[in-house]
């Protein structure tokens, strides 16, 4: 059973920073495209950032561009999301997603809550 476990969420003041991690197990991490999604209360889940299997290409939603940085360490089977200059609109549950580059199977983590509030 593939496991994706997010961590690093919490409560932070506006303008603060958090670093999310997604640890993968029972998966060939290096062949998976990795993504961070988020879902705020009453809203649809939205794509936040994407990183290719080798880490060479990244994509960001306009709402986080310049503030968030996605990265991965294939040796540690872990993906990260560095979030700076956080805003109340960033409040959401953040989910890790892995998609196999070959068979396109997709896997989800359980999510981690990020709350930006003073």
């Amino acid at each position: 059973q593939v496991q994706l476990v997010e961590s690093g969420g919490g409560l932070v003041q506006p303008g603060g920073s958090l670093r999310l991690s997604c640890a993968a197990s029972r998966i060939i991490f290096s062949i998976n495209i990795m993504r961070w999604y988020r879902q705020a209360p009453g809203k649809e889940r939205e794509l936040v950032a994407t990183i290719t299997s080798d880490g060479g290409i990244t994509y960001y939603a306009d709402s986080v561009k310049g503030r968030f940085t996605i990265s991965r360490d294939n040796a540690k089977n872990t993906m990260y999301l560095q979030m700076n200059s956080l805003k109340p609109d960033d409040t959401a549950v953040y989910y890790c997603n892995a998609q196999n580059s070959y068979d396109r199977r997709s896997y989800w983590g359980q999510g981690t809550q990020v709350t930006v509030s003073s």
Side-chain angles (χ1 to χ4, degrees):
Q1 186 80 1
V2 172
Q3 278 195 322
L4 299 175
V5 180
E6 301 96 335
S7 61
L11 173 65
V12 64
Q13 292 188 342
S17 298
L18 283 175
R19 189 194 196 202
L20 305 184
S21 297
C22 171
S25 59
R26 303 188 184 98
I27 192 174
I28 305 174
F29 186 75
S30 61
I31 65 170
N32 279 266
I33 299 167
M34 298 298 296
R35 297 180 174 93
W36 286 101
Y37 286 80
R38 68 185 181 186
Q39 187 167 19
K43 295 187 177 180
E44 294 188 353
R45 191 171 295 190
E46 64 170 343
L47 177 62
V48 175
T50 302
I51 188 166
T52 52
S53 56
D54 64 356
I57 299 174
T58 56
Y59 158 86
Y60 298 93
D62 287 342
S63 57
V64 307
K65 204 171 293 184
R67 300 187 297 120
F68 290 10
T69 302
I70 189 172
S71 62
R72 65 190 294 163
D73 186 337
N74 285 352
K76 295 183 178 179
N77 285 4
T78 303
M79 173 179 65
Y80 306 96
L81 186 67
Q82 178 66 44
M83 305 186 295
N84 299 328
S85 303
L86 283 161
K87 306 174 181 179
D89 283 350
D90 296 318
T91 296
V93 178
Y94 283 71
Y95 296 92
C96 167
N97 173 268
Q99 184 178 34
N100 188 296
S101 299
Y102 294 95
D103 64 15
R104 316 306 289 178
R105 288 184 185 181
S106 182
Y107 307 95
W108 292 90
Q110 83 289 347
T112 186
Q113 176 71 47
V114 171
T115 303
V116 184
S117 175
S118 54

